[in-house]
Amino acid sequence: MALNYFQPLFDVIRDKDRCIKCQACARQCSNEVHRYDADLDMMISDSQQCVDCQRCVCICPTGALKIVDNPNKFRNNSNWSQQIMTEVYKQAETGGVLLSAMGNPKEYPVYWDKILLNASQVTNPPIDPLREPMETKVFLGKKPKNVSFNEDGSVKTETTPTLELSTPIMFSAMSYGSISRNAHESLARAATELGIFYNTGEGGLHKDFYQYGPNTIVQVASGRFGVFKDYLETGAAIEIKMGQGAKPGIGGHLPGAKILEDVSRTRMIPMGTDAISPAPHHDIYSIEHLRQLVLSLKEYKKPVIVKIAAVHNVAAIASGIARSGADIIAIDGYRGGTGAAPTRIRDNVGIPIELALASVDQRLRDEGIRNEVSVVVAGSIRSSSDVVKAIALGADACYIGTAALLALGCHLCRSCQTGKCNWGIATQRPDLVKRLNPNIGYQRLVNLVHAWDHEIKEMMGGMGINSVEALKGNRLMLRGIGLNEKELEILGIQHAGQ
């Protein structure tokens, strides 16, 4: 008998006194953890298959189930952790590259949690957002340096194309194929109702969602999946994806098991074939090449975004992008989510979005080109306070991805790459997709953004600031805590108490 080197990560605990053997857990679990044994007249659990998605816990009518960490551990070793040992066993068995989903889960610093906001007291009194006007509307795109006049003395009002957002939040790129049709519909409908934008990701746009075009950002990635004239004409803006925070320097990979008929048609590739995006765009090897594509896409008379991953020389890269003619730079930090990425890349490549944002904003200001582009940041924007801190560090707006999926029911079990999402989000299986009701999903997204918008206004009011534009780049409103001198220098903020 072959030895099993793998210990279950979790234990499924069933209270036999509460369990009524209704088999709801067995019907709901796509990982086949639960089954009913007729001979024993009892429910049996296979903890080895559990990914801790919590679906069975939520669905159990008597509260008989709970998922706990498996207390059985390998002998403690500060260097060779249980996770590392298990990964070695797995690669020795399969000979394959380790895959993971979602963002970097390592215990690296989360700088949002080490930055504190200021509050007004006496000389600059706070503003009550319930009684006084607060402006959270933002415009993304090139800003005029000064006011220009026509020959008759009237103000010139013509500007380059911009995106108008009711609040500085957008739904980040998640492709159809990596997430379900119902998830995409929820995002599209929510963006439309909120007056913001959602991003198609690199998988094209389903024909049923062209109606949401005025609130859609269409993406052009290295694989060019689903990219054609109608697609580019439909979107309100076009995003060129050069990199992604979860996997900088490499392309994308959607397994063939997820390429069903609708996804195949939308991506314009054969059913059942893996969708592999190359690491580089094969027509872009310099800023000059990027500029050619930017100018070509500007023929569609809409803003062009260039998305990059947060890496060590991100400020220099952003400077080049600003000079390429792009209207918006999107920067994705190393905690940004993904449907699948090589584990070693996800956990070891890239830098925190907070440091990248501060570096980029300062570089663009130093070069006098900050108004040439807007800056949008992503990569684990978890709450409205993260949004406020990002804007104060220099962002014009934020993309949210994982937070949006959590609103739809995601429990961060980090097994998106399997296509067995029990919540109907990161799957193409019809029996699982239908578990996400877009009528409910889109309303939950609307609720989330409305709540954040209200909190943003409260925090700005507490600082005595009545508009996002006045907050942008206002680092005097920030103080660091528990940060060293170099971190404070890069962030451009003072320590708490100063």
Side-chain angles (χ1 to χ4, degrees):
M1 180 179 71
L3 291 176
N4 181 10
Y5 289 90
F6 305 105
Q7 297 297 316
L9 291 176
F10 311 103
D11 265 351
V12 180
I13 308 299
R14 189 185 306 273
D15 187 329
K16 294 181 181 178
D17 294 330
R18 288 185 176 182
C19 181
I20 58 175
K21 296 172 280 192
C22 65
Q23 302 183 48
C25 54
R27 292 191 296 272
Q28 289 287 322
C29 182
S30 63
N31 297 296
E32 300 179 348
V33 173
H34 309 277
R35 66 181 178 85
Y36 174 68
D37 190 308
D39 294 333
L40 298 175
D41 187 30
M42 63 185 296
M43 296 300 298
I44 305 293
S45 300
D46 180 2
S47 295
Q48 188 79 55
Q49 305 301 321
C50 182
V51 297
D52 194 21
C53 74
Q54 297 284 317
R55 179 77 180 187
C56 60
V57 176
C58 294
I59 212 75
C60 180
T62 61
L65 290 167
K66 63 180 178 180
I67 312 297
V68 300
D69 288 338
N70 184 357
N72 186 62
K73 303 291 183 183
F74 297 152
R75 185 169 181 173
N76 189 50
N77 187 313
S78 297
N79 185 36
W80 291 92
S81 67
Q82 179 156 337
Q83 179 182 343
I84 291 174
M85 291 173 65
T86 301
E87 289 172 348
V88 170
Y89 293 147
K90 188 176 294 183
Q91 289 190 293
E93 183 173 293
T94 66
V97 172
L98 297 170
L99 288 179
S100 299
M102 303 312 294
N104 189 324
K106 298 281 189 178
E107 293 184 3
Y108 296 132
V110 179
Y111 287 99
W112 300 131
D113 296 338
K114 296 187 176 186
I115 297 174
L116 301 174
L117 297 169
N118 189 27
S120 297
Q121 297 294 292
V122 180
T123 56
N124 180 29
I127 300 169
D128 185 349
L130 295 177
R131 294 173 176 84
E132 300 180 59
M134 301 285 287
E135 186 59 82
T136 55
K137 180 183 291 186
V138 296
F139 293 87
L140 301 181
K142 183 176 181 179
K143 308 292 194 305
K145 293 180 179 179
N146 45 49
V147 178
S148 300
F149 298 90
N150 295 308
E151 292 183 359
D152 61 1
S154 60
V155 175
K156 289 183 178 180
T157 58
E158 298 82 7
T159 61
T160 56
T162 58
L163 294 180
E164 179 181 337
L165 283 69
S166 63
T167 193
I169 298 167
M170 300 188 290
F171 299 130
S172 61
M174 291 175 277
S175 68
Y176 177 44
S178 68
I179 62 173
S180 66
R181 183 190 190 283
N182 289 3
H184 250 241
E185 181 179 342
S186 299
L187 293 165
R189 290 172 60 182
T192 300
E193 180 160 325
L194 290 163
I196 60 174
F197 298 86
Y198 91 106
N199 192 311
T200 63
E202 63 173 288
L205 182 64
H206 192 285
K207 60 179 177 18
D208 292 347
F209 301 153
Y210 275 57
Q211 60 182 307
Y212 304 112
N215 296 88
T216 302
I217 296 171
V218 296
Q219 192 177 83
V220 176
S222 59
R224 303 290 203 267
F225 298 124
V227 176
F228 69 116
K229 182 173 180 288
D230 292 351
Y231 171 75
L232 297 172
E233 288 179 339
T234 297
I238 303 171
E239 179 176 276
I240 303 169
K241 177 191 170 186
M242 298 301 301
Q244 184 175 343
K247 42 188 172 182
I250 68 170
H253 181 188
L254 187 68
K258 284 190 170 185
I259 311 295
L260 303 184
E261 184 177 357
D262 251 9
V263 177
S264 165
R265 186 181 306 110
T266 301
R267 290 191 173 230
M268 301 179 178
I269 58 175
M271 284 181 58
T273 60
D274 288 9
I276 300 175
S277 304
H281 289 250
H282 288 307
D283 53 354
I284 300 176
Y285 292 94
S286 67
I287 291 296
E288 290 75 20
H289 293 155
L290 174 63
R291 177 174 173 80
Q292 290 176 9
L293 180 57
V294 168
L295 294 179
S296 294
L297 294 176
K298 282 196 168 189
E299 294 293 325
Y300 289 93
K301 308 297 183 185
K302 55 194 64 178
V304 174
I305 307 166
V306 176
K307 177 182 177 180
I308 57 174
V311 291
H312 301 317
N313 58 338
V314 66
I317 296 169
S319 173
I321 292 171
R323 299 172 194 282
S324 76
D327 301 289
I328 303 166
I329 302 172
I331 312 169
D332 196 14
Y334 76 155
R335 291 191 187 274
T338 179
T343 304
R344 297 291 173 254
I345 299 289
R346 184 198 67 174
D347 294 353
N348 295 282
V349 182
I351 64 173
I353 188 59
E354 303 95 323
L355 301 178
L357 165 60
S359 298
V360 167
D361 179 68
Q362 192 60 52
R363 175 72 174 254
L364 297 179
R365 289 177 186 275
D366 290 345
E367 295 182 357
I369 55 174
R370 182 61 185 86
N371 284 338
E372 295 295 313
V373 289
S374 292
V375 176
V376 178
V377 295
S380 198
I381 303 295
R382 307 159 302 167
S383 66
S384 58
S385 61
D386 290 352
V387 174
V388 170
K389 293 170 187 178
I391 293 170
L393 281 176
D396 292 87
C398 295
Y399 269 137
I400 64 171
T402 302
L405 297 186
L406 289 173
L408 294 176
C410 170
H411 277 60
L412 281 183
C413 68
R414 304 201 295 271
S415 57
C416 313
Q417 74 276 10
T418 67
K420 296 180 180 179
C421 177
N422 277 313
W423 296 95
I425 301 170
T427 182
Q428 298 303 317
R429 278 177 44 178
D431 59 317
L432 300 178
V433 170
K434 69 181 182 182
R435 293 181 182 180
L436 175 59
N437 184 335
N439 293 322
I440 297 173
Y442 105 89
Q443 189 59 59
R444 290 177 62 85
L445 290 166
V446 169
N447 292 345
L448 176 72
V449 176
H450 275 323
W452 284 22
D453 183 66
H454 181 72
E455 290 173 339
I456 289 168
K457 290 176 179 177
E458 285 189 328
M459 284 181 277
M460 288 198 312
M463 289 185 275
I465 292 174
N466 64 1
S467 72
V468 168
E469 193 62 32
L471 175 63
K472 187 177 73 176
N474 191 346
R475 301 188 197 187
L476 291 174
M477 293 294 107
L478 303 175
R479 290 294 185 271
I481 187 166
L483 299 173
N484 62 41
E485 288 297 323
K486 192 62 180 178
E487 290 169 327
L488 291 169
E489 178 189 336
I490 294 171
L491 291 168
I493 63 176
Q494 293 181 305
H495 200 280
Q498 289 183 295

